[in-house]
């Protein structure tokens, strides 16, 4: 009954959404159309009511994102299978390849002439910036959907393929050697690290333990996509050393909690409100930088959707101070799972290792705030347009 009512309201309001000039706030929409919140000005809801409302919000995210995740898997499936047929399921060692490069589509003068409404970074030049992609766990495609899309827009993209079950420390060490090889090929260019899921976790380990890497390879910024920076409960179901090290109780996660990223490195984490493999979702948040919040995108969806590509292009082309202005400084309301976890007995939380994440996001602190860019609905309304070519 609830699903039918939601579908009816979705259709009836579709025409209104198309003409809206302001970004859609799915939380506010759920309050107004499903929960029917009628609250006196200045009066907060009771904790029990807020928790109930949040469960409904997350239920809406679940239904919409689950459908999107299925579409994402269907879209990524052919490429994944093709890579298996070409190169096998599990590589013996770390390898890399550069995608076909279209320099004529990356001419900065042409981009500025065709996009007079854009404000560009002073140092931005697509011909001098190089993406280095790391794929996720049980994935051998190198996040190729969005990587190939970026390459088709004229960006230089390297895909790094690695044994995803292996020790994260060893993988990060080999990654530093790969960076040397790519840097020699692309002399004088700026390297932009991007990692999906475990790939971001590997990048985290390298950048947190070797902060000099950012300066050595002239890295302006870092984009982790759905990466469990401080461990994920889903890793308890995984196999291999990498899965063990992504568990919230691992020594690698504890190291990450106690280290800091390079001071001058800009960081733009992508966080899905619904992500079955990053649990709780708060583990993908970072206090530094701007967190790009995707309300209707699951874990696989982050490497197949055009909205993600447009967001990445906004990040690399736009001055950081302008990105900061576009973000909202606000308290990140906890997911239903995080709320349930913090209600568990202390011994159980310790066994699961979730206290580190809950403390990091300020589960019991109303003053902890994050810079959040809600992009998914805004992109559909055209508020983050792609660069015209």
């Amino acid at each position: 009954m609830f699903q039918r009512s939601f579908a009816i309201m979705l259709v009836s309001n579709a025409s209104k959404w198309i003409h809206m000039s302001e970004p859609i706030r799915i939380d506010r929409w759920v309050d107004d159309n499903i929960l029917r919140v009628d609250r006196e000005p200045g009066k907060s809801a009771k904790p029990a009511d807020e928790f109930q409302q949040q469960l409904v919000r997350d239920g809406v995210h679940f239904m919409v994102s689950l459908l999107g995740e299925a579409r994402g898997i269907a879209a990524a499936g052919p490429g994944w299978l093709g890579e298996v047929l070409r190169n096998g399921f599990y590589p013996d060692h770390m390898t890399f390849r550069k995608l076909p490069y279209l320099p004529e589509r990356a001419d900065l003068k042409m981009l500025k002439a065709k996009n007079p409404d854009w404000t560009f970074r002073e140092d931005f030049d697509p011909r001098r910036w190089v993406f280095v992609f790391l794929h996720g766990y049980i994935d051998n495609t190198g996040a190729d959907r969005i990587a190939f899309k970026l390459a088709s827009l004229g960006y230089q993209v390297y895909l790094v393929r690695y044994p995803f079950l292996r020790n994260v420390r060893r993988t990060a060490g080999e990654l530093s050697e790969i960076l040397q090889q790519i840097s020699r090929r692309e002399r004088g260019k700026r390297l932009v690290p991007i990692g999906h899921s475990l790939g971001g976790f590997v990048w985290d380990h390298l950048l947190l333990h070797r902060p000099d890497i950012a300066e050595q390879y002239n890295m302006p910024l870092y984009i982790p996509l759905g990466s469990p920076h401080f461990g994920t409960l889903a890793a308890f179901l995984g196999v291999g050393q990498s899965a063990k090290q992504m568990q919230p109780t691992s020594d690698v996660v504890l190291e990450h909690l106690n280290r800091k990223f390079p001071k001058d490195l800009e960081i733009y984490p992508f966080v899905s409100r619904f992500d079955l493999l990053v649990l709780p979702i708060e583990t993908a948040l970072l206090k530094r930088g701007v967190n790009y919040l995707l309300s209707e995108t699951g874990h696989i969806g982050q490497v197949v959707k055009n909205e993600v590509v447009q967001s990445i292009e906004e990040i690399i082309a736009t001055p950081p101070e302008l990105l900061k202005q576009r973000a909202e400084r606000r308290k990140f309301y906890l997911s239903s799972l995080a709320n349930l976890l913090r209600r568990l007995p202390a011994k159980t939380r310790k066994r699961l290792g979730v206290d580190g994440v809950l403390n990091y996001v300020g589960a019991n602190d109303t003053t902890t705030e994050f810079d959040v860019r809600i992009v998914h609905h805004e992109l559909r309304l055209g508020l983050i347009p792609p660069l015209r070519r």
Side-chain angles (χ1 to χ4, degrees), residues 33-61:
N33 295 277
I34 297 179
L35 296 172
R36 305 294 183 185
V37 175
D38 186 15
R39 192 178 303 159
E40 296 180 16
K43 185 177 180 180
S44 60
K46 296 179 181 179
D49 293 337
E50 289 186 347
F51 185 59
Q52 183 182 16
Q53 293 166 13
Q54 187 175 329
L55 285 174
V56 176
R57 287 192 189 98
D58 287 348
V60 174
H61 285 298

Side-chain angles (χ1 to χ4, degrees), residues 82-95:
E83 189 70 25
V84 170
L85 295 175
R86 285 193 301 269
N87 300 312
F89 175 69
Y90 191 71
D92 295 327
H93 56 279
M94 184 173 284
T95 59

Side-chain angles (χ1 to χ4, degrees), residues 292-305:
Y292 274 64
L293 184 63
L294 305 171
S295 61
E296 295 179 359
T297 301
H299 196 70
I300 304 300
Q302 291 198 24
V303 291
V304 299
K305 287 185 175 292

Side-chain angles (χ1 to χ4, degrees), residues 213-230:
I213 287 288
E215 183 177 357
Q216 180 180 352
Y217 297 112
N218 201 15
M219 293 179 176
L221 53 90
Y222 165 42
I223 304 176
L225 306 171
S227 298
H229 304 291
F230 311 118

